[in-house]
């Protein structure tokens, strides 16, 4: 697939669906709030969801790498920033 072509469209559609899925949990009182694309920490996540018990979940639907593939290790690697 071309970079930003078909894969970009599928990725964006998945990101939108995942965000709406989690936003509905806020409306349904299963989560406290959603903070979209938090800028303060430069975390590179789509949103932070705060659950009703106060636990914060960091959600990212895509990961950017310099190569064509990524792994679970890439997702959990500490950000040097």
């Amino acid at each position: 697939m071309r970079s930003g072509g078909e894969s970009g469209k599928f990725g964006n559609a998945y990101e939108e669906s995942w965000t709406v899925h989690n936003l509905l949990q806020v409306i349904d009182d299963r989560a406290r709030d959603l903070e979209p694309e938090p800028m303060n920490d430069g975390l590179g996540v789509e949103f932070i969801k705060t659950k009703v018990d106060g636990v914060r979940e960091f959600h990212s639907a895509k990961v950017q790498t310099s190569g064509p593939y990524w792994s679970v290790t890439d997702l959990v690697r500490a950000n040097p920033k």
Side-chain angles (χ1 to χ4, degrees):
M1 291 191 171
R2 295 171 285 155
S3 175
E6 296 88 351
S7 60
K9 288 176 181 44
F10 288 131
N12 289 340
Y14 177 79
E15 179 182 330
E16 291 167 4
S17 296
W18 186 247
T19 302
V20 169
H21 170 79
N22 283 276
L23 184 57
L24 289 173
Q25 292 180 10
V26 174
I27 293 169
D28 197 19
D29 291 329
R30 292 182 289 148
R32 190 181 302 165
D33 62 52
L34 228 60
E35 180 184 349
E37 299 191 22
M39 299 293 283
N40 55 346
D41 295 319
L43 297 171
V45 297
E46 268 63 79
F47 58 86
I48 299 173
K49 177 173 72 175
T50 305
K51 297 167 61 173
V52 292
D53 61 2
V55 172
R56 297 173 76 203
E57 294 181 347
F58 295 75
H59 292 253
S60 181
K62 296 180 268 188
V63 66
Q64 295 179 359
T65 65
S66 57
Y69 305 103
W70 57 268
S71 68
V72 173
T73 305
D74 294 329
L75 293 175
V76 297
R77 183 178 302 127
N79 185 340
K81 297 179 184 176

